[in-house]
Amino acid sequence: MKSKATLKQIAKELGVSVSTVSKALNGSPEISDPTKQRVQEYAKLKNYKPNVIGLNLKNRRTKTIGVIIPNILNSFFAKVFSGIEKVADEKGYKVITCISNESLEKEINALEMLSNGTIDGFILSIAEESQKLQQYSHFTSIINEGTPIVMFDRIADEVNCDKVIVDDFESAVNATEHLIKTGCKKIALLSAIDNLSVGKLRAKGFYKALENHGMKADDNLVILTNNNEEFNNKIGGFFIKNKPDGVFALDEHASVTAMKLGIQNGYKIPQELSLIGFADGVWSRRMTPSLSTVSQHGPEIGEVAAQLLIDKLESEADTYTFTTTTIKTELRQRDSTRK
């Protein structure tokens, strides 16, 4: 394996100072073009790589963004990441990604590991356990140390930082009203994310839509749980017992499960049962019938979050103001709802 050269070794071999080598490799105008070319070609020949940690200690910049997402299997987070990476690449930044796996401890460990000089700032969505316990001091500590954070989707109002969200409440109002306007009278509300901030906002939107149309929620038609296992335990026999004619599901698991059980229980979709899910993965288009969804525009969320962070990193301002940017969602009508 070819060993990597150091600045000192290159300087000794070429008979110049370490400072001259460093400036030549960084394209300094103080160094003549022939010397630059000679140094750069020799460094390449000797497999020279800059010491990123050393540069960071000296310049306080790594041009690297840390991204922490709660769940690698969620297509929404994958779409957001694609938007982050697109902008980061355009702006010359690298991205390091960690998965909290919905754990407060793993979230804290990721922040501590990457904030030791590896990255310049974070883009993240809060882990389920952190929201459940209302534990956000680890974010505040990182920000107070001078490392900026941009939160997306799952956020904490208590933390002063830039945030990118979708209009969860209004989206739920609009989706529920669509079911009402297409003739649904007994609309079920199904959720496996009731412990998350986004789940609570969507549920509030559902109730608001019913109120707007003079309708009362039927508690028998509401299943609000905190995880997939709990949801599965409560959904069995739901369609036979309650006979809903509409479903608004607040997450991917509840959406897919409701569609599956509706079909298994003999409902004609959408004639007898209309369904809207709050997710827009590939499966929603490939199901038969295809599922109408609220699309969250994940790539756009990622792009906005990355741009906000990079703007902060490259700003020379002494004081900062923080913004909350709302990305509009879109109701994508497919075969599971009446037009």
Side-chain angles (χ1 to χ4, degrees):
M1 188 176 186
K2 192 190 293 185
S3 61
K4 296 178 181 178
T6 65
L7 289 178
K8 190 174 182 180
Q9 290 168 343
I10 294 172
K12 183 179 179 181
E13 292 290 331
L14 296 180
V16 297
S17 69
V18 172
S19 175
T20 297
V21 173
S22 177
K23 290 178 180 179
L25 292 173
N26 286 302
S28 171
E30 299 176 35
I31 308 300
S32 67
D33 288 340
T35 301
K36 283 182 194 173
Q37 184 175 354
R38 180 167 165 250
V39 170
Q40 290 170 1
E41 287 179 352
Y42 189 80
K44 186 176 181 180
L45 177 68
K46 292 296 182 179
N47 196 33
Y48 171 76
K49 295 288 188 299
N51 184 332
V52 175
I53 300 299
L55 285 172
N56 182 47
L57 292 173
K58 189 173 182 179
N59 303 325
R60 306 303 301 167
R61 291 288 299 278
T62 66
K63 298 280 283 187
T64 304
I65 294 170
V67 178
I68 304 177
I69 58 177
N71 186 342
I72 196 172
L73 299 177
N74 189 312
S75 61
F76 168 70
F77 292 123
K79 289 182 178 182
V80 173
F81 180 76
S82 71
I84 294 171
E85 194 170 49
K86 176 177 180 287
V87 171
D89 186 58
E90 290 171 353
K91 300 293 183 178
Y93 283 76
K94 298 181 288 293
V95 178
I96 295 177
T97 309
C98 291
I99 314 300
S100 69
N101 204 26
E102 307 291 10
S103 162
L104 170 61
E105 182 181 1
K106 288 184 178 180
E107 188 172 70
I108 292 172
N109 290 341
L111 284 167
E112 291 178 348
M113 177 182 68
L114 295 179
S115 63
N116 65 355
T118 304
I119 57 91
D120 295 332
F122 287 101
I123 299 172
L124 58 88
S125 188
I126 301 176
E128 176 185 328
E129 187 179 15
S130 303
Q131 287 204 318
K132 180 180 179 181
L133 299 175
Q134 298 285 289
Q135 283 275 6
Y136 307 127
S137 59
H138 49 300
F139 302 125
T140 304
S141 297
I142 293 294
I143 293 169
N144 290 341
E145 290 171 4
T147 303
I149 288 176
V150 176
M151 293 181 173
F152 71 90
D153 190 49
R154 305 182 197 170
I155 64 170
D157 293 333
E158 299 90 331
V159 180
N160 288 324
C161 66
D162 288 316
K163 303 175 177 85
V164 185
I165 59 174
V166 298
D167 53 339
D168 287 286
F169 177 81
E170 288 298 330
S171 300
V173 171
N174 293 336
T176 307
E177 288 188 339
H178 179 80
L179 292 171
I180 295 170
K181 291 174 182 177
T182 54
C184 295
K185 305 292 185 185
K186 296 180 64 178
I187 304 173
L189 174 65
L190 306 179
S191 173
I193 57 168
D194 192 48
N195 53 332
L196 300 181
S197 57
V198 293
K200 294 184 185 301
L201 284 170
R202 294 168 193 175
K204 286 181 180 178
F206 170 82
Y207 288 116
K208 180 61 177 175
L210 294 185
E211 180 186 325
N212 290 345
H213 290 265
M215 299 170 65
K216 289 187 178 181
D218 182 347
D219 291 342
N220 294 320
L221 293 174
V222 175
I223 296 179
L224 300 178
T225 63
N226 295 336
N227 55 65
N228 295 349
E229 184 178 357
E230 185 184 354
F231 181 82
N232 292 343
N233 291 335
K234 289 192 174 183
I235 194 69
F238 175 82
F239 286 94
I240 296 173
K241 181 179 178 181
N242 298 294
K243 296 185 173 15
D245 58 11
V247 168
F248 180 42
L250 306 190
D251 60 279
E252 184 173 80
H253 179 78
S255 303
V256 173
T257 305
M259 173 75 88
K260 179 181 176 182
L261 290 177
I263 293 171
Q264 286 180 352
N265 283 284
Y267 280 86
K268 293 179 181 177
I269 299 174
Q271 296 90 338
E272 297 173 341
L273 180 67
S274 292
L275 301 99
I276 296 177
F278 210 109
D280 198 25
V282 173
W283 52 265
S284 60
R285 297 186 296 275
R286 293 181 177 173
M287 293 179 74
T288 304
S290 57
L291 180 65
S292 296
T293 58
V294 177
S295 173
Q296 297 163 276
H297 297 301
E300 185 180 350
I301 292 172
E303 290 176 22
V304 172
Q307 190 62 61
L308 281 169
L309 180 61
I310 291 171
D311 287 346
K312 280 286 190 296
L313 294 174
E314 298 184 349
S315 171
E316 296 181 1
D318 294 326
T319 58
Y320 301 117
T321 57
F322 300 110
T323 62
T324 297
T325 304
T326 302
I327 306 297
K328 291 293 182 182
T329 58
E330 176 188 357
L331 177 58
R332 294 186 173 170
Q333 297 182 48
R334 298 192 178 93
D335 296 337
S336 68
T337 49
R338 295 190 290 272
K339 302 298 186 286

